[in-house]
């Protein structure tokens, strides 16, 4: 999500100008020499300077650098083998973040985060997809790409435009009075380049019914859609909270969003950790999830019964008994009640079989690796993933008798399904629990000596 990244200016040699941004002279950058040269401008050249370049999946490249003249500013460049290059001036602290976003599909960002992949326009990424581990790519509806030649109608005056120098650039005062004049000036300079990209292929903006002015939502409408007050939404925006997307337009100083973007924001909030907790708590007085609320209620009843219903305990509330040893004794007893009732919190009858299946799957993967290498399986070839080893260690420490039972089943299944002897399985489990897990060596040895079958004599 590019919520907080706002470019300050277009590089004069960009192929795709961002509407409304001033043009800044980028002649001091080696844009035509490739990404390594751009990176070298700032990388390790001085305190507070940096640069980096990478190749992209589409066969192009991207690079950024601190400006060598004005170090609080930086340049980001994205080059595509078919669609040319974008050159943007940003705050130096934003260049690395934009570089990260550009490393994937987006080539251009417009209208508050709408992005173009070379063929299709997409809405700003807001809804997290746990399967792809990325934000969902949702296509914008009925879009048209606006190119530079669509906007140059001959009425602009390039002589009234101004190209800024980075040494004196002030974003607060550099806003163009008539951006079409600046675009016309850019077009003149663009056409003077060697082999310039045709203006009919220089992307400037997008048009879509969902971006029409009469369809945009202001703060009150967007807040109502999200089920919050307008003042709450304004607070989110001023504090940079709750991932409020960039507005698609600002009219008279008032932010406005497309309904589609606003609805995506509402859906993202619904799917967020906070939204999920609120849904799962179902109005619980402490906003606890159902399982946690059951644990609280169970122990609340247990503690009340212990502290109040027993006369020998209740008498300790008399003032003369309110001393540190008595309080410590009560605290110890309450803690014991929790520890002694762990099985009411952790479903060991479900956890044990889950561990068994996970261990067998990891061992099967280890077996496949050993077979590919063409060697006989050894106990040290059996490897558990780190999270599984930690879970195994935790299970043994908290529920040793259940662990004894389920690990016995695991060794039996490993022998029957995978042909791995129980002694080999047991040694691999012991090693994983004591090295990758958190079970000390001596405890692991004591436990597994009571689980692993004895070697046959003779």
């Amino acid at each position: 999500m590019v919520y907080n990244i706002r470019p300050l200016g277009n590089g004069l040699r960009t192929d795709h100008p961002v509407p409304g941004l001033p043009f800044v002279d980028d002649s001091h950058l080696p844009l035509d020499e490739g990404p390594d040269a751009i990176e070298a401008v700032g990388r390790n050249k001085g305190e507070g300077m940096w640069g980096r370049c990478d190749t992209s999946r589409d066969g192009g490249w991207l690079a950024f650098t601190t400006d060598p003249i004005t170090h609080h500013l930086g340049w980001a460049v994205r080059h595509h083998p078919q669609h040319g290059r974008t050159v943007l001036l940003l705050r130096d602290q934003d260049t690395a973040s934009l570089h990260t976003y550009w490393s994937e599909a987006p080539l251009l960002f417009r209208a508050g985060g709408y992005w173009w992949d070379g063929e299709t326009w997409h809405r700003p990424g807001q809804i997290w997809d746990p399967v792809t581990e990325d934000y969902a790519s949702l296509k914008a509806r009925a879009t048209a790409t606006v190119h530079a030649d669509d906007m140059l109608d001959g009425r602009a005056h390039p002589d009234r435009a101004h190209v800024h120098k980075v040494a004196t650039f002030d974003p607060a005062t550099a806003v163009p009075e008539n951006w079409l004049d600046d675009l016309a000036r850019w077009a003149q300079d663009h056409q003077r380049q060697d082999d310039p990209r045709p203006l009919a292929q220089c992307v400037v903006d997008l048009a879509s019914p969902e971006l029409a002015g009469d369809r945009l939502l202001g703060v009150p409408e967007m807040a109502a859609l999200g089920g919050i007050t307008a003042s709450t939404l304004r607070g989110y925006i001023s504090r940079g909270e709750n991932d409020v997307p960039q507005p698609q337009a600002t009219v008279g100083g008032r932010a406005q969003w497309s309904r589609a973007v606003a609805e995506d924001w509402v859906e993202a909030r619904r799917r967020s950790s906070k939204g999920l907790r609120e849904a799962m708590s179902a109005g619980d007085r402490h906003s606890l999830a159902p399982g946690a609320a059951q644990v609280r209620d169970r122990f609340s009843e247990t503690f009340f019964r212990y502290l109040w219903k027993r006369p020998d305990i209740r008498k300790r509330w008399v003032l003369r008994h309110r001393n540190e040893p008595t309080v410590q004794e009560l605290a110890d007893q309450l803690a014991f009640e929790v520890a002694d009732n762990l099985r009411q919190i952790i479903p060991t009858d479900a956890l044990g079989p889950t561990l068994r299946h996970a261990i067998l799957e990891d061992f099967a993967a280890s077996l496949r690796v050993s077979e590919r290498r063409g060697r006989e399986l050894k106990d040290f070839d059996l490897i558990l993933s780190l999270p599984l080893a930690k879970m195994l260690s935790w299970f043994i420490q908290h529920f040793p008798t259940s662990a004894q039972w389920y690990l016995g089943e695991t060794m039996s299944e490993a022998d029957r399904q995978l042909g791995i002897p129980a002694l080999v399985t047991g040694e691999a489990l012991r090693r994983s629990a004591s090295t990758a897990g958190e079970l000390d060596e001596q405890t692991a040895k004591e436990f597994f000596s009571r689980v692993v079958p004895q070697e046959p004599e003779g």
Side-chain angles (χ1 to χ4, degrees):
M1 294 180 290
V2 287
Y3 294 118
N4 299 316
I5 300 177
R6 290 176 171 78
L8 304 177
N10 293 296
L12 192 58
R13 287 180 288 172
T14 189
D15 288 329
H16 307 294
V18 177
L21 292 186
F23 289 90
V24 183
D25 185 6
D26 56 19
S27 60
H28 60 303
L29 299 178
L31 297 182
D32 296 324
E33 298 177 25
D36 292 327
I38 297 172
E39 174 190 281
V41 170
R43 192 177 185 91
N44 297 322
K45 290 300 176 67
E47 184 177 355
M49 297 186 66
W50 193 244
R52 175 169 175 167
C53 66
D54 291 284
T55 56
S56 54
R57 296 179 181 179
D58 51 37
W61 52 264
L62 51 157
F64 71 87
T65 182
T66 303
D67 186 85
I69 301 172
T70 308
H71 293 177
H72 68 275
L73 300 175
W75 297 89
V77 183
R78 175 75 154 90
H79 182 273
H80 190 279
Q82 292 179 307
H83 300 294
R85 70 187 173 199
T86 296
V87 185
L88 292 174
L89 180 69
L90 304 97
R91 297 183 303 168
D92 189 53
Q93 66 197 63
D94 289 337
T95 53
S97 296
L98 181 58
H99 187 86
T100 299
Y101 294 126
W102 261 350
S103 64
E104 301 298 331
L107 298 180
L108 306 174
F109 294 98
R110 296 291 187 271
Y114 279 75
W115 57 273
W116 186 63
D117 62 8
E119 296 182 0
T120 306
W121 286 96
H122 303 258
R123 299 201 297 274
Q126 300 186 80
I127 302 173
W128 183 256
D129 184 343
V131 177
T132 62
E133 296 185 338
D134 200 354
Y135 293 100
S137 297
L138 303 175
K139 294 181 180 180
R141 294 184 289 270
T143 58
T145 301
V146 180
H147 298 91
D149 66 338
D150 299 322
M151 303 186 70
L152 295 169
D153 56 7
R155 289 181 292 180
H157 297 278
D159 55 315
R160 293 193 303 221
H162 178 66
V163 176
H164 296 264
K165 296 292 185 181
V166 71
T168 57
F169 181 77
D170 180 1
T173 60
V175 180
E177 292 185 9
N178 187 337
W179 190 74
L180 289 180
D181 293 342
D182 293 68
L183 183 66
R185 168 67 183 274
W186 163 83
Q188 288 183 347
D189 288 315
H190 181 77
Q191 294 301 95
R192 297 190 190 105
Q193 297 180 37
D194 295 335
D195 191 23
R197 185 174 183 80
L199 295 177
Q201 298 177 19
C202 294
V203 178
V204 176
D205 210 347
L206 79 153
S208 171
E210 64 189 61
L211 293 174
D214 59 348
R215 296 191 180 185
L216 297 179
L217 307 180
V219 167
E221 296 85 2
M222 184 164 173
L225 199 63
I228 58 176
T229 65
S231 61
T232 298
L233 179 56
R234 291 190 183 96
Y236 288 165
I237 295 170
S238 65
R239 296 188 299 270
E241 296 175 351
N242 284 277
D243 292 335
V244 179
Q246 290 185 22
Q248 276 57 71
T250 302
V251 180
R254 298 178 181 272
Q256 296 188 323
W257 295 265
S258 76
R259 176 171 288 275
V261 169
E263 289 174 347
D264 287 348
W265 178 66
V266 173
E267 178 63 12
R269 280 168 54 82
R270 191 182 76 85
R271 290 170 175 258
S272 68
S273 298
K274 181 180 179 181
L276 183 60
R277 285 195 300 270
E278 290 176 351
M280 292 301 292
S281 66
D284 179 76
R285 65 184 185 277
H286 294 136
S287 298
L288 292 176
Q294 291 172 9
V295 172
R296 177 204 59 207
D297 294 343
R298 183 183 304 124
F299 282 103
S300 175
E301 181 182 350
T302 299
F303 292 165
F304 178 77
R305 186 170 58 249
Y306 175 78
L307 295 172
W308 190 253
K309 298 294 185 180
R310 289 177 51 177
D312 60 319
I313 299 297
R314 191 168 67 181
K315 70 181 182 180
R316 299 188 183 187
W317 302 128
V318 176
L319 187 60
R320 69 175 185 272
H321 291 302
R322 295 181 192 175
N323 52 61
E324 184 175 345
T326 300
V327 173
Q328 182 63 63
E329 182 181 347
L330 288 173
D332 289 345
Q333 184 61 39
L334 295 177
F336 171 78
E337 291 288 339
V338 175
D340 194 45
N341 285 277
L342 275 181
R343 291 182 186 277
Q344 298 183 42
I345 304 174
I346 309 295
T348 56
D349 57 339
L351 180 57
T354 301
L355 274 173
R356 184 182 71 238
H357 287 295
I359 290 169
L360 291 174
E361 177 58 32
D362 271 13
F363 282 177
S366 297
L367 191 60
R368 289 191 292 268
V369 171
S370 182
E371 289 174 347
R372 284 198 300 269
R373 293 174 177 174
R375 71 185 191 191
E376 183 181 352
L377 182 72
K378 304 294 185 183
D379 61 74
F380 53 78
D381 291 326
L382 295 176
I383 300 172
L384 295 185
S385 64
L386 184 59
L388 182 53
K390 288 185 175 181
M391 191 70 248
L392 172 63
S393 171
W394 183 92
F395 193 42
I396 293 170
Q397 289 176 299
H398 289 77
F399 303 103
T401 56
S402 292
Q404 179 188 39
W405 174 265
Y406 288 112
L407 292 183
E409 281 191 344
T410 301
M411 288 185 285
S412 175
E413 290 294 320
D415 190 5
R416 185 165 55 253
Q417 295 182 20
L418 305 176
I420 304 174
L423 292 174
V424 176
T425 300
E427 176 58 23
L429 293 174
R430 184 203 61 76
R431 187 180 61 253
S432 292
S434 60
T435 55
E438 298 177 353
L439 199 64
D440 68 81
E441 190 71 37
Q442 184 58 36
T443 303
K445 182 178 179 180
E446 288 292 336
F447 174 81
F448 281 97
S449 70
R450 292 164 169 78
V451 177
V452 178
Q454 292 183 325
E455 292 190 58
E457 296 181 359

